[in-house]
C-alpha cells in the first residue's frame, strides 16, 4: 500500500533525525514506565524484539526481565516466519535478517501465553500499527491469539490515523515516553 510506504519513509527519516543520546534518553523513559506497569510485572514470559536502527531500545528491558527471573525469548526470521528463541544472555544476539539482532542459538519458545513487546514504524490513537511490511508479527499473532501485546514507540511515531488492513493485528497497548494508549479507545496518561 502506497500510504504505508510513505509513512515508513517519513518515520525512518524522523528516527534518523534524532541523535543517539535522544533515542537513549527516550528509550530509558519508556523502559522505566514499562517496568512499573502491572502487565509487565505480572508476566512470567516475555517475547521481546531486539532493537535496530533507532527503534525504542530493548536491551535494558531484556536485561531487567532476566534479572527478575522472567523467561525471555527474542525472534529470529526463518523464511516467512518469525520464531522466538529463549535466551538467558543477550550476548547470543547477532546480526541476522536485514542486520537485525537475532538469537544464534537457544530453545524455541512455543509459548501460548506471554507478554509480547513489539516494535512498529507508526501507530495511531486507535492502536493501529504500521509495521515494516513483512507481516511477521501479524502472522505470529494470528497463530498465537492468547499472547498479550504492548508496542513500544516514541511519541513522534503516534499519528492521528494510519492505514489498516484486515490482516493487521493491533497491539493491546502502545507505550511512549509520555503515555499509554489502550486498544479500547481509553487513553491513560502516565
Amino acid at each position: 500500500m502506497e500510504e504505508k510506504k510513505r509513512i515508513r519513509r517519513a518515520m525512518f527519516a524522523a528516527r534518523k533525525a534524532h541523535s543517539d543520546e535522544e533515542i537513549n534518553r527516550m528509550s530509558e523513559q519508556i523502559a522505566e514506565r514499562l517496568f512499573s506497569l502491572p502487565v509487565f510485572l505480572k508476566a512470567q514470559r516475555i517475547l521481546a524484539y531486539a532493537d535496530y536502527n533507532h527503534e525504542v531500545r530493548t536491551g535494558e528491558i531484556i536485561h531487567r526481565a532476566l534479572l527478575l527471573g522472567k523467561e525471555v525469548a527474542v525472534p529470529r526470521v526463518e523464511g516467512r516466519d518469525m520464531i522466538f528463541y529463549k535466551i538467558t544472555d543477550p550476548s547470543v544476539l547477532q546480526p541476522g535478517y536485514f542486520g537485525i539482532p537475532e538469537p544464534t542459538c537457544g530453545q524455541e519458545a512455543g509459548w501460548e501465553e506471554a507478554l509480547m513487546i513489539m516494535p512498529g514504524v507508526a501507530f495511531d490513537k486507535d492502536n493501529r500499527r504500521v509495521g515494516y511490511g513483512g507481516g511477521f508479527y501479524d502472522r505470529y499473532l494470528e497463530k498465537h491469539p492468547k499472547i498479550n501485546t504492548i508496542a513500544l514507540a516514541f511519541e513522534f511515531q503516534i499519528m492521528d490515523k494510519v492505514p489498516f488492513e484486515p490482516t493487521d493485528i493491533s497491539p493491546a497497548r502502545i507505550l511512549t515516553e509520555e503515555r499509554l494508549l489502550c486498544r479500547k479507545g481509553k487513553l491513560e496518561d502516565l
Side-chain angles (χ1 to χ4, degrees), residues 9-81:
R9 283 192 300 271
M11 285 299 163
F12 292 154
R15 285 195 331 213
K16 192 175 182 180
H18 287 79
S19 69
D20 288 346
E21 293 77 21
E22 291 171 311
I23 295 294
N24 289 336
R25 180 182 47 77
M26 291 184 295
S27 292
E28 286 172 15
Q29 292 172 326
I30 292 166
E32 287 306 315
R33 293 180 191 286
L34 177 68
F35 298 150
S36 69
L37 292 179
V39 70
F40 177 81
L41 294 170
K42 292 176 186 173
Q44 293 303 307
R45 292 175 163 167
I46 305 288
L47 301 171
Y49 71 94
D51 65 88
Y52 174 74
N53 199 19
H54 273 201
E55 291 177 311
V56 174
R57 306 256 193 253
T58 56
E60 180 57 29
I61 293 167
I62 291 169
H63 179 71
R64 176 83 61 101
L66 289 168
L67 280 178
L68 291 171
K70 298 177 187 296
E71 290 184 280
V72 177
V74 176
R76 181 167 72 207
V77 171
E78 298 179 6
R80 285 185 33 84
D81 291 320

Side-chain angles (χ1 to χ4, degrees), residues 63-131:
H63 179 71
R64 176 83 61 101
L66 289 168
L67 280 178
L68 291 171
K70 298 177 187 296
E71 290 184 280
V72 177
V74 176
R76 181 167 72 207
V77 171
E78 298 179 6
R80 285 185 33 84
D81 291 320
M82 182 173 68
I83 311 291
F84 280 85
Y85 288 91
K86 187 175 172 185
I87 65 166
T88 55
D89 182 349
S91 69
V92 301
L93 302 176
Q94 299 296 323
Y97 182 79
F98 280 98
I100 299 167
E102 296 180 333
T104 54
C105 59
Q107 176 186 353
E108 187 176 331
W111 306 332
E112 291 304 319
E113 294 189 30
L115 175 63
M116 177 184 281
I117 298 170
M118 59 194 300
V121 176
F123 303 88
D124 69 20
K125 294 172 183 154
D126 294 321
N127 281 41
R128 292 181 171 156
R129 170 183 174 270
V130 173

Side-chain angles (χ1 to χ4, degrees), residues 140-155:
Y140 188 89
L141 290 169
E142 184 179 3
K143 293 176 189 171
H144 302 88
K146 291 184 182 176
I147 298 291
N148 200 350
T149 54
I150 186 166
L152 304 183
F154 300 117
E155 190 62 31

Side-chain angles (χ1 to χ4, degrees), residues 137-185:
Y137 281 87
D138 295 319
R139 284 192 300 279
Y140 188 89
L141 290 169
E142 184 179 3
K143 293 176 189 171
H144 302 88
K146 291 184 182 176
I147 298 291
N148 200 350
T149 54
I150 186 166
L152 304 183
F154 300 117
E155 190 62 31
F156 67 80
Q157 292 176 270
I158 307 296
M159 304 176 68
D160 288 334
K161 205 97 178 134
V162 299
F164 191 74
E165 298 168 40
T167 55
D168 292 341
I169 296 178
S170 298
R173 296 164 200 81
I174 302 168
L175 181 65
T176 76
E177 68 274 21
E178 295 180 12
R179 59 189 164 164
L180 176 66
L181 292 160
C182 296
R183 188 185 296 149
K184 294 177 180 145

